[in-house]
Amino acid sequence: MRLDPRHLEILAAIVDAGGLTEGAAKLGKSQPSVSRSIAFLEERVGQQLFEPRRRPLRPTELCLSLAAEGRKILDAGRAASALVQTFKSGEAGTVRVAGTPIFMDGVISGVIAEFQADHPNIRIDQSYAYIDEALEKLKQDQLDLAILPVRPGALPAEFEFRQILKGCNVIACRVDHPLTQHAEMTARDVIDYAWIAPPANSPLFQDMRALLESIGQRELKIGFTGGSLSAVLNVLAGSDSLTILPYSVVVTLQRRNQVASLPIEIGDPGRHLGIIINRSRSLHQAAIRFESFVGERIKGMSRSMASD
Amino acid sequence: MRLDPRHLEILAAIVDAGGLTEGAAKLGKSQPSVSRSIAFLEERVGQQLFEPRRRPLRPTELCLSLAAEGRKILDAGRAASALVQTFKSGEAGTVRVAGTPIFMDGVISGVIAEFQADHPNIRIDQSYAYIDEALEKLKQDQLDLAILPVRPGALPAEFEFRQILKGCNVIACRVDHPLTQHAEMTARDVIDYAWIAPPANSPLFQDMRALLESIGQRELKIGFTGGSLSAVLNVLAGSDSLTILPYSVVVTLQRRNQVASLPIEIGDPGRHLGIIINRSRSLHQAAIRFESFVGERIKGMSRSMASD
DNA sequence: TAGCCTCATAACATGAAGATATATTATTCG
DNA sequence: CGAATAATATATCTTCATGTTATGAGGCTA
């Protein structure tokens, strides 16, 4: 026999309230409505739920058992409402975000850590992707947002780009690197050292090539290539190698004394770090929160970089 | 925001079934009905519950969370249905039964123990009462049945009496009592011993008085009075006292070697043990089960008594 | 791109649940 | 014991979600 869960809810409310009238009030319904619902349930069940001819309504044993189930239903309903609330407020949910390995590991991961402290019920699904892959995933709704260095104007109109940091690369080395002792330095000084090349399909790789061309160099000694940021840092720390890294990453790492940077001017790469979203899809609240949080943090970071 | 628990049930069914059509089938509803219910819920919630334009319906994260609550509701509903079933079948519930202390402790408690082995979900509320009190409680529906020795015809018409045992009292003593050695015995032999008197308001007390009168005796040495069966038994075992007890009780106790009985004829007390119910109230299934169980057992017991 | 399969919509019927007004009944209190 | 009070049940009407069948639309697979 199938019972209407709403009837069980009503039963629970009445039993808990200790009376039909109060129970009805608690449910925001009229007393007759509740009375009839119970009559219905009683008929369906085929058993007395309240002792007849008793004016302070006295529940039957079966009634009490059923009310216990009704209470579970009420609780589940309340939990469901709460769930909806938190999801709608953006305090729960999953944000799918992707970006270049260097940025994600060097800058964004720290921001994510801060974000999660504030919003423990929002889950961040982070993955790595370069621009083409990221746009494809955004288009297919496999991604909520991408954080990438992008050349403004190079983006199809279906995507929106919100710049959060001006692009700027620097040459990085280990903290006690010999070059850090030099008072003055020219681009020529760096070509004698082994280099760590970013992944060949990354924008940084193109930036490195541009840098080399600007100092009239075609080839460099490449000692290591293809790794993640932490691999790069390990190699950097254990050798005299140099590499090119976004300034923002270097700033973050310098605070932890993990790298040093060389005071060599590198031309503006023409790319700027920003958040990309798919215009045709509206972000859900959790993603909106994350997006603005990242924006704020990175802007704060860039202010402190400017004041360095 | 208040959600309809039935919608959550439907959601759970759909998610579990992996599709709207199958979910509808599982719920025994038509597919369009379910479809619209979900549309309703979606509108109420104000969030997508399934990813749009995906034909094997793919649940949203929020949807999965809500479905989990819906599953709880489904479970509670099923539990409620099961409860009703067991109550209606008489496999659960409470039977309120009262009787004289001596019968309840001496005979019925053993039957209750057997009954509970068979019907673990039926609770027995046992209390002690003599006839007047028991009838009053039956009338006020504070009792489902009473088990009492009653003089047939002495019962108001509003009660039904179902005899389960012919009344018959015997004189009881401890197992090694001196009188048990006598080959022959007359009523006169018993008057030298101290007696344990049943409670003054009990039928047994009247039976004892009748016995005394039948042997021309007005007074007895009363050594102990007023206790429960176990108190009587303890005094009996620790002294040479005699007492009067229903034959059925003595038979039960003799099997455990706790008492002996004396072969002295006692006149029929005119009362017979039976179950009393209130005609104006119908017994619930659990009480019916208990009543017939007790009837069967006691009848079985009386058969084995007859063959002694 | 054709065809299948799943889901959404339309149109209509039904009936449960809501409200207000009112009757009925238990309990309490003088 | 009877009247007052409070609580529950009933009556009647309205509304609207749910159910139905028939049918249209659109993703998915080959």
Side-chain angles (χ1 to χ4, degrees), chain A residues 234-250:
Chain A
N234 285 335
V235 174
L236 215 56
S239 70
D240 285 344
S241 303
L242 302 177
T243 193
I244 186 170
L245 284 176
Y247 182 49
S248 55
V249 172
V250 170

Side-chain angles (χ1 to χ4, degrees), chain A residues 6-7 29-30 32-33 36 40 53 55:
Chain A
R6 292 174 305 174
H7 291 162
K29 302 184 196 296
S30 69
S33 171
R36 206 178 24 177
F40 229 89
R53 263 170 287 289
R55 217 14 55 116

Side-chain angles (χ1 to χ4, degrees), chain A residues 80-201:
Chain A
S81 298
L83 269 172
V84 173
Q85 288 304 105
T86 54
F87 265 79
K88 287 182 79 169
S89 73
E91 276 310 334
T94 300
V95 182
R96 298 162 302 172
V97 58
T100 61
I102 298 291
F103 265 116
M104 294 310 277
D105 288 353
V107 181
I108 304 301
S109 62
V111 176
I112 290 175
E114 284 185 76
F115 183 78
Q116 293 207 314
D118 282 5
H119 308 283
N121 291 318
I122 300 181
R123 168 176 151 187
I124 309 293
D125 257 23
Q126 187 222 277
S127 56
Y128 301 110
Y130 296 114
I131 184 76
D132 293 338
E133 194 187 353
L135 294 185
E136 187 59 28
K137 286 190 171 176
L138 279 173
K139 204 183 297 180
Q140 292 176 6
D141 197 27
Q142 294 172 16
L143 216 52
D144 295 308
L145 20 100
I147 305 180
L148 289 165
V150 170
R151 202 177 304 274
L155 216 53
E158 59 183 303
F159 301 103
E160 182 179 344
F161 179 74
R162 299 178 189 164
Q163 182 173 327
I164 55 178
L165 204 55
K166 288 207 59 168
C168 177
N169 295 320
V170 296
I171 297 174
C173 59
R174 69 178 165 87
V175 175
D176 301 320
H177 195 279
L179 282 177
T180 60
Q181 313 302 324
H182 288 218
E184 292 172 15
M185 196 180 305
T186 68
R188 293 258 134 214
D189 290 328
V190 306
I191 62 172
D192 295 329
Y193 290 93
W195 277 68
I196 299 171
N201 49 351

Side-chain angles (χ1 to χ4, degrees), chain B residues 217-234:
Chain B
Q217 195 74 15
R218 295 286 308 175
E219 293 286 324
L220 275 182
K221 280 191 289 185
I222 303 295
F224 179 79
T225 188
S228 67
L229 178 64
S230 67
V232 168
L233 290 179
N234 285 334

Side-chain angles (χ1 to χ4, degrees), chain B residues 1-292:
Chain B
M1 169 201 339
R2 186 112 211 99
L3 303 176
D4 190 329
R6 292 173 307 171
H7 291 161
L8 296 175
E9 283 188 344
I10 292 173
L11 199 68
I14 290 174
V15 168
D16 289 348
L20 196 142
T21 309
E22 297 156 54
K26 202 153 80 168
L27 290 166
K29 301 183 197 293
S30 68
Q31 171 266 318
S33 171
V34 169
S35 171
R36 205 176 24 178
S37 292
I38 292 302
F40 236 89
L41 181 60
E42 226 164 18
E43 190 188 358
R44 241 194 129 53
V45 163
Q47 302 274 111
Q48 295 281 2
L49 293 176
F50 294 92
E51 298 186 9
R53 259 170 287 290
R54 280 297 171 98
R55 218 15 47 125
L57 229 48
R58 192 180 308 179
T60 298
E61 197 181 355
L62 172 59
C63 174
L64 291 175
S65 304
L66 290 180
E69 298 303 325
R71 226 162 283 132
K72 291 185 199 168
I73 293 175
L74 275 173
D75 289 343
R78 276 193 274 266
S81 299
L83 270 172
V84 172
Q85 288 304 106
T86 53
F87 266 78
K88 287 182 80 170
S89 74
E91 274 312 331
T94 299
V95 182
R96 298 163 301 172
V97 57
T100 61
I102 298 292
F103 264 116
M104 294 311 274
D105 289 352
V107 181
I108 305 300
S109 62
V111 177
I112 290 175
E114 283 185 75
F115 183 77
Q116 293 207 315
D118 282 6
H119 308 283
N121 291 318
I122 299 181
R123 168 177 151 187
I124 309 293
D125 256 24
Q126 187 223 275
S127 56
Y128 301 109
Y130 295 115
I131 184 77
D132 291 339
E133 193 186 353
L135 295 184
E136 187 60 28
K137 287 189 170 176
L138 279 172
K139 204 183 297 180
Q140 292 176 6
D141 197 26
Q142 293 171 17
L143 216 51
D144 295 309
L145 20 100
I147 304 180
L148 289 164
V150 170
R151 203 176 303 276
L155 216 55
E158 62 185 300
F159 300 102
E160 182 179 343
F161 179 74
R162 298 178 190 164
Q163 183 174 326
I164 54 180
L165 203 57
K166 288 206 61 166
C168 176
N169 295 321
V170 296
I171 296 174
C173 59
R174 69 177 164 89
V175 176
D176 300 321
H177 196 280
L179 283 178
T180 60
Q181 312 305 323
H182 288 219
E184 292 174 14
M185 195 179 305
T186 68
R188 293 259 131 214
D189 291 327
V190 306
I191 63 174
D192 293 331
Y193 291 91
W195 276 68
I196 299 171
N201 49 350
S202 74
L204 265 187
F205 186 79
Q206 299 171 39
D207 291 345
M208 190 177 81
R209 291 225 326 212
L211 166 65
L212 293 181
E213 279 174 21
S214 77
I215 60 177
Q217 195 74 15
R218 295 286 308 175
E219 293 286 324
L220 275 182
K221 280 191 289 185
I222 303 295
F224 179 79
T225 188
S228 67
L229 178 64
S230 67
V232 168
L233 290 179
N234 285 334
V235 174
L236 215 54
S239 70
D240 285 343
S241 304
L242 301 177
T243 193
I244 187 169
L245 283 177
Y247 182 49
S248 56
V249 172
V250 170
V251 166
T252 308
L253 295 169
Q254 272 177 328
R255 292 200 178 130
R256 294 184 236 145
N257 218 37
Q258 291 186 279
V259 297
S261 60
L262 300 181
I264 293 179
E265 279 293 311
I266 298 181
D268 180 351
R271 285 188 205 80
H272 303 296
L273 187 68
I275 295 175
I276 306 171
I277 61 177
N278 187 338
R279 283 189 206 278
S280 68
R281 259 175 251 287
S282 60
L283 286 186
H284 54 267
Q285 278 296 329
I288 290 172
R289 274 180 189 256
F290 182 72
E291 192 257 317
S292 64

